Amino acid sequence: MNKAQLIESIQKALGAETTKKHAGEALEAVLDGITKGVKKDGNVQLIGFGTFKVSSRAARKGRNPKTGEAMKIKASKSVRFVASSNIKKGLK
Amino acid sequence: MNKAQLIESIQKALGAETTKKHAGEALEAVLDGITKGVKKDGNVQLIGFGTFKVSSRAARKGRNPKTGEAMKIKASKSVRFVASSNIKKGLK
DNA sequence: ATTCGATTAGTTGTGCTTTGTTCATGAATG
DNA sequence: CATTCATGAACAAAGCACAACTAATCGAAT
């Protein structure tokens, strides 16, 4: 599924008077809200969906896979997602 | 950040004529859309935010953490999230 | 403001998974 | 069209998922 397909799904869920444009704006508002919340608070917990958390990794040794040359991988931060029990149901 | 706080953030982003109720409905529509998309297609790719993917784990041995007794953990599926480079920016 | 059912967090131990490095290329997205 | 993403290579250590069960938290309903 891509963004356009998700927007259609959202439009259907919100009802016939919702335009694609509005559905798209809703999606952007949600993703932006999550992004900002993770950045500000370090986590966004959505019960029944999952929790977005900032994860940190220390600097470590790695390699350039092309040359095999050892190199340093800098410390980094990323966003991880802990899936709720609810979203796991019915997966195939 | 929790759901109520995210709804406020969404309401602000969508504009003053959007009620808390509508913002909440938008959030539910988005989360439902993602949930259904992952279940149906195995992945939901949202450029600039990240990609939700189904992940599978084989059965393995685990323990009852209370008693230490060994037991089998069944094969399972979950939803993992690969953060886009954009969402990683500005994390602290 | 309160209630309470539903969901999540936490506990230990261990083996599997993820991550990130460079860089070229092509595909997909918006 | 500009930007992002996926892919692949080798590698190894950090990180994480899970078990059962109880305590803690959340949030929809009142």
Side-chain angles (χ1 to χ4, degrees), chain B residues 6-90:
Chain B
L6 179 58
I7 287 172
E8 274 186 44
S9 174
I10 293 164
Q11 186 193 15
K12 275 183 198 154
L14 290 179
E17 73 280 359
T18 301
T19 61
K20 279 251 177 81
K21 185 166 183 283
H22 274 124
E25 285 165 353
L27 176 59
E28 286 314 308
V30 169
L31 298 183
D32 241 31
I34 293 171
T35 301
K36 288 189 172 99
V38 166
K39 282 176 179 172
K40 180 166 167 269
D41 293 348
N43 88 334
V44 175
Q45 179 182 55
L46 304 173
I47 302 285
F49 185 74
T51 301
F52 293 91
K53 303 182 178 187
V54 173
S55 68
S56 303
R57 289 196 74 155
R60 65 190 192 277
K61 288 179 190 171
R63 291 180 182 279
N64 180 334
K66 279 290 173 81
T67 66
E69 181 192 0
M71 58 193 326
K72 181 177 173 178
I73 302 169
K74 293 183 197 166
S76 61
K77 289 181 191 298
S78 187
V79 177
R80 81 179 181 97
F81 175 74
V82 182
S84 79
S85 56
N86 190 54
I87 199 176
K88 290 181 190 176
K89 285 177 190 166

Side-chain angles (χ1 to χ4, degrees), chain A residues 19-90:
Chain A
T19 61
K20 279 252 177 81
K21 184 167 184 279
H22 276 125
E25 283 165 353
L27 176 59
E28 286 315 308
V30 171
L31 299 183
D32 241 31
I34 293 171
T35 301
K36 288 190 174 98
V38 166
K39 282 175 181 175
K40 181 166 165 270
D41 294 347
N43 90 330
V44 176
Q45 179 182 50
L46 303 173
I47 302 284
F49 183 74
T51 301
F52 295 90
K53 301 182 181 188
V54 174
S55 68
S56 304
R57 295 191 77 126
R60 62 199 162 98
K61 288 176 188 170
R63 293 178 181 279
N64 179 332
K66 281 285 172 80
T67 65
E69 182 192 0
M71 60 193 321
K72 181 175 174 178
I73 301 168
K74 292 179 198 166
S76 61
K77 289 182 190 296
S78 186
V79 177
R80 82 180 183 97
F81 175 74
V82 180
S84 80
S85 56
N86 191 54
I87 199 176
K88 291 181 191 175
K89 286 177 190 166

